[in-house]
């Protein structure tokens, strides 16, 4: 084994150790609990489902290594801790476009989490067509320790697109060379139109319902 290979193997081993992973798992769990509570509260207030799905995952050591190499970072645990924003990743799926932004506002008001960075790929989709809003937050784990969590917030339709594209194109790492990219971009645009239409439809239905309730 040459020195680079030895370094990579050492990194993979460290990234897979419980001492490294446990705080990240805890950060995910705390974020998930917080979001579930927000969901209960707002679903009740709004009288409809606010969040339809919350999932989380810890980035695998292999995926961390690939990202470090892609970003040309020095392959060591401390650099990963400092620069990888999504070792802890939580995904939130909402029904409607406006709920994405409502959730960001709720998180901004939350004293327990600190927003480090927001990336709005809904307003400005990626070249691939990818739409999602990413909020990187610092979550307290224990005592003074805080861990970064990347919360990806998107609609059901955006999630459908992202999951399919992630499987067939993004994870294959052959972006720019794939024959399906043009069609995927078109689907992403159609999805945005549907999301906007569904939001307008919900607003009209809510207004109609409010009038009906007033007039009895
Ligand atoms: P995986 O396998 O999902 O974990 P930065 O946060 O700015 O330091 P980063 O993390 O590259 O840099 O930011 P970016 O581009 O916002 O990507 C973060 C994550 O968003 C990715 O994580 C994917 O999960 C998702 N993502 C970004 N672009 C695309 C895309 O074109 N298609 C799909 N399906 N998902 C995308 P990972 O670690 O790259 O991958």
């Amino acid at each position: 084994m040459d020195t680079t290979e030895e370094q990579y193997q050492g990194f993979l081993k460290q990234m897979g150790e419980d001492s490294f992973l446990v705080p990240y798992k805890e950060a995910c769990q705390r974020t998930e609990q917080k979001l579930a509570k927000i969901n209960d509260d707002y679903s009740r207030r709004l009288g409809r489902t606010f969040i339809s799905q919350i999932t989380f995952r810890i980035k695998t050591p292999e995926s961390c290594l690939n990202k470090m190499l892609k970003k040309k970072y020095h392959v060591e645990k401390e650099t990963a801790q400092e620069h990888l924003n999504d070792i802890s990743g939580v995904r939130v799926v909402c029904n409607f476009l406006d709920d994405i932004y409502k959730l960001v506002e709720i998180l901004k008001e939350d004293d327990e989490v600190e927003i480090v960075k927001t990336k709005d790929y809904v307003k400005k989709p990626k070249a691939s067509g990818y739409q999602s809003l990413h909020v990187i937050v610092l979550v307290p784990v224990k005592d003074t320790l805080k861990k970064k969590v990347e919360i990806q917030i998107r609609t059901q339709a955006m999630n459908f697109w992202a999951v399919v594209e992630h499987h067939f194109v993004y994870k294959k790492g052959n972006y720019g060379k794939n024959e399906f990219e043009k069609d995927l971009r078109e689907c992403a645009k159609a999805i945005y139109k549907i999301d906007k239409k569904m939001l307008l439809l919900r607003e009209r239905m809510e207004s109609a319902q409010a009038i009906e309730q007033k007039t009895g």
Side-chain angles (χ1 to χ4, degrees), residues 57-60 63-64 66-67 70-71 73 83-87 89 91 117 119 121 126-132 134 136 148 150 152 154 158-159 161-167 169-171 175:
R57 65 98 183 94
I58 302 293
K59 205 171 184 65
T60 62
S63 181
C64 289
N66 288 340
K67 198 159 197 171
K70 195 172 124 201
K71 294 200 171 251
Y73 292 140
H83 292 290
L84 296 187
N85 292 326
D86 65 340
I87 298 176
R91 185 166 298 153
K117 192 159 129 184
K119 291 198 273 182
Y121 300 127
K126 287 195 128 184
S128 60
Y130 177 74
Q131 301 169 83
S132 195
H134 295 184
I136 319 287
K148 270 186 277 184
E150 181 184 80
Q152 299 185 342
R154 47 177 83 147
M158 289 172 189
N159 192 49
W161 184 96
V163 169
V164 172
E165 193 265 0
H166 189 271
H167 180 76
V169 183
Y170 189 74
K171 267 290 119 165
Y175 184 72

